[in-house]
Amino acid sequence: MNIHEHQAKALLKEYGAPVAKGVAIFEPDEAMAAATALPGPVYVVKSQIHAGGRGKGRFIELGADAEGGVRIARSIEEVVSHANEMLGNTLVTKQTGPAGKQVNRIYIEDGADIARELYLSILVDRENGRVSFVASTEGGMDIEAVAEETPEKIHTIAIEPEDGVTAQKAGALCDALALDGEARTDGMKLFPILYTAFTDKDMSLLEINPLVVLGNNRLAVLDAKVSFDNNALFRHPDIEALRDLSEEDEKEIEAGKYDLAYIALEGSIGCMVNGAGLAMSTMDIIKLYGEKPANFLDVGGGATVEKVTAAFKIITSDPSVKGILVNIFGGIMRCDVIAQGVLQAVEEIGLSVPLVVRLEGTKVAEGQALIDNSDLNVISASDLDDAAQKIVAAVRGK
């Protein structure tokens, strides 16, 4: 689960991180009061969406020459003007795709005297099985480009869970970020604070880009992106309350109600699979034969007819889906349950696109019989390769 920048900063501030004063607003007429409550005279007006690259983004309604989603204001009047332009309009960034995201809230923050911009993040490092810091002196930039072009400027420092952020590790981070004087003193305090927040709240990512050195050589958290482990949210009702459903795909929200692992993609072939590994293989082979998957959908190992029916409805609700591939290996999951769910869903909502079903494993004969004896216009497949070729051919009208 993701949260907005202003929520992330409020959370980090509770732990003692240095964060500038700011006010989140939801209506343009709140802008003047919000700016008046800040020290000024320089303000930063930030669009709040779950996507990066806001500063370089553009508002569809304002044209290509308009300022982006993060703007400097040197008067309260400018703050009000920016708020009126941003709220309710659609911001397009590299991460939103061409459709963009509507800005429903903005964050008005006190300006900062920036001397240097740094990059800092904490993540779960799958390679070493540890929570790790990633640090670079190249903050405020596309960190992926920095990693590709100048990988020597990216430093990864793993943290031993039984030790936490020791003075030695905090010092190594200070060295990686070239901090000295008061900035180094601040870093020695800040890095353990961020690690504690990360572990306390079951975060999966904490990214500060940029972490800045101010003109007085003090550190400040200028931006913050936080993601949480969904599986741990039951421990944090306060965090779950921060969820903004308007930032999430409606199909993904619906899938969550049935405990389905669903991620919307941009392809043409809907997939319903059991098991994450098999789902990834199914997506890969669809791409191998020249099409793209419209989703990742894992119905899990213990799906019921109701769950399978819901999954099928979610797939068919996507207008970009031109064909559907059901690929089930029955271990814990029974093939006849999948077949019943597919048939029930088709009876309820109809079927206007080609459907290829590949079943293998537990109760496969019973499941195949259910499909073969129905009036469903379905294409049977003997294996995954056969299924992928058939659904691609069907989508292409061959």
Side-chain angles (χ1 to χ4, degrees):
M1 188 191 91
N2 300 320
I3 58 175
H4 290 287
E5 174 196 357
H6 73 92
Q7 296 169 321
K9 284 184 172 179
L11 177 60
L12 295 179
K13 189 175 182 179
E14 291 178 5
Y15 281 85
V19 176
K21 292 182 179 180
V23 181
I25 69 169
F26 300 82
E27 300 292 340
D29 59 11
E30 298 172 346
M32 181 174 290
T36 303
L38 299 176
V42 178
Y43 312 86
V44 186
V45 184
K46 298 184 175 184
S47 301
Q48 299 292 285
I49 60 172
H50 290 176
R54 293 169 295 162
K56 296 180 180 180
R58 63 179 180 84
F59 284 95
I60 293 176
E61 296 85 353
L62 303 181
D65 296 331
E67 293 183 74
V70 177
R71 305 180 184 180
I72 302 296
R74 290 177 171 81
S75 68
I76 291 177
E77 290 73 23
E78 269 195 277
V79 171
V80 173
S81 175
H82 292 326
N84 277 288
E85 285 194 356
M86 291 180 176
L87 281 167
N89 284 335
T90 304
L91 182 63
V92 177
T93 77
K94 287 184 178 180
Q95 294 186 14
T96 64
K101 287 190 174 185
Q102 181 172 299
V103 176
N104 298 317
R105 62 180 82 183
I106 62 174
Y107 188 47
I108 303 170
E109 189 174 56
D110 196 36
D113 176 20
I114 301 171
R116 284 203 298 142
E117 296 188 351
L118 313 171
Y119 176 89
L120 184 71
S121 66
I122 310 177
L123 47 77
V124 179
D125 191 336
R126 306 295 179 185
E127 290 188 7
N128 60 32
R130 299 286 188 273
V131 171
S132 296
F133 281 82
V134 178
S136 175
T137 55
E138 307 303 301
M141 298 176 63
D142 184 345
I143 196 65
E144 289 81 9
V146 175
E148 182 178 348
E149 297 168 11
T150 53
E152 70 278 4
K153 295 182 178 181
I154 304 290
H155 303 271
T156 301
I157 297 175
I159 305 300
E160 295 298 326
E162 64 272 20
D163 297 332
V165 180
T166 62
Q168 180 184 14
K169 291 294 177 73
L173 284 165
C174 288
D175 293 340
L177 295 172
L179 300 178
D180 58 16
E182 290 182 307
R184 188 178 186 92
T185 301
D186 287 349
M188 295 296 289
K189 295 177 182 177
L190 176 61
F191 304 138
I193 284 173
L194 297 178
Y195 180 79
T196 299
F198 186 93
T199 53
D200 277 359
K201 296 299 184 180
D202 289 303
M203 297 179 187
S204 56
L205 172 69
L206 167 54
E207 182 178 63
I208 300 172
N209 187 27
L211 172 69
V212 298
V213 180
L214 299 174
N216 61 2
N217 203 33
R218 304 302 297 266
L219 285 185
V221 174
L222 200 68
D223 195 3
K225 176 182 179 181
V226 173
S227 298
F228 299 93
D229 182 349
N230 288 350
N231 295 316
L233 287 177
F234 71 94
R235 292 199 286 253
H236 307 288
D238 57 325
I239 297 300
E240 195 162 16
L242 301 177
R243 186 179 181 187
D244 183 358
L245 294 178
S246 69
E247 289 288 326
E248 300 180 25
D249 186 283
E250 291 182 0
K251 297 182 292 298
E252 294 181 12
I253 296 172
E254 183 67 17
K257 297 177 183 177
Y258 294 92
D259 197 27
L260 296 167
Y262 175 90
I263 300 173
L265 302 172
E266 297 181 354
S268 60
I269 296 178
C271 305
M272 183 165 68
V273 189
N274 67 318
L278 187 60
M280 296 298 290
S281 299
T282 303
M283 294 163 65
D284 285 345
I285 202 167
I286 287 171
K287 294 194 72 172
L288 177 66
Y289 286 110
E291 289 292 333
K292 295 180 180 180
N295 63 268
F296 170 98
L297 197 158
D298 175 11
V299 296
T304 62
V305 171
E306 179 188 26
K307 196 172 182 178
V308 173
T309 303
F312 204 88
K313 287 181 178 179
I314 291 167
I315 292 173
T316 55
S317 70
D318 185 347
S320 65
V321 169
K322 308 303 180 186
I324 301 172
L325 173 56
V326 176
N327 181 27
I328 299 298
F329 181 82
I332 300 173
M333 166 61 70
R334 288 168 34 184
C335 294
D336 58 336
V337 171
I338 288 289
Q340 290 175 41
V342 169
L343 293 174
Q344 182 172 312
V346 171
E347 288 176 0
E348 289 184 23
I349 63 177
L351 184 66
S352 58
V353 297
L355 170 64
V356 173
V357 177
R358 180 254 180 162
L359 301 174
E360 188 60 68
T362 306
K363 298 284 186 176
V364 63
E366 291 84 348
Q368 195 64 56
L370 285 170
I371 291 176
D372 292 342
N373 294 330
S374 73
D375 296 328
L376 179 64
N377 183 19
V378 62
I379 304 168
S380 295
S382 57
D383 55 39
L384 178 53
D385 189 74
D386 182 44
Q389 293 189 58
K390 285 180 175 177
I391 191 60
V392 169
V395 165
R396 294 177 175 179
K398 296 180 180 179

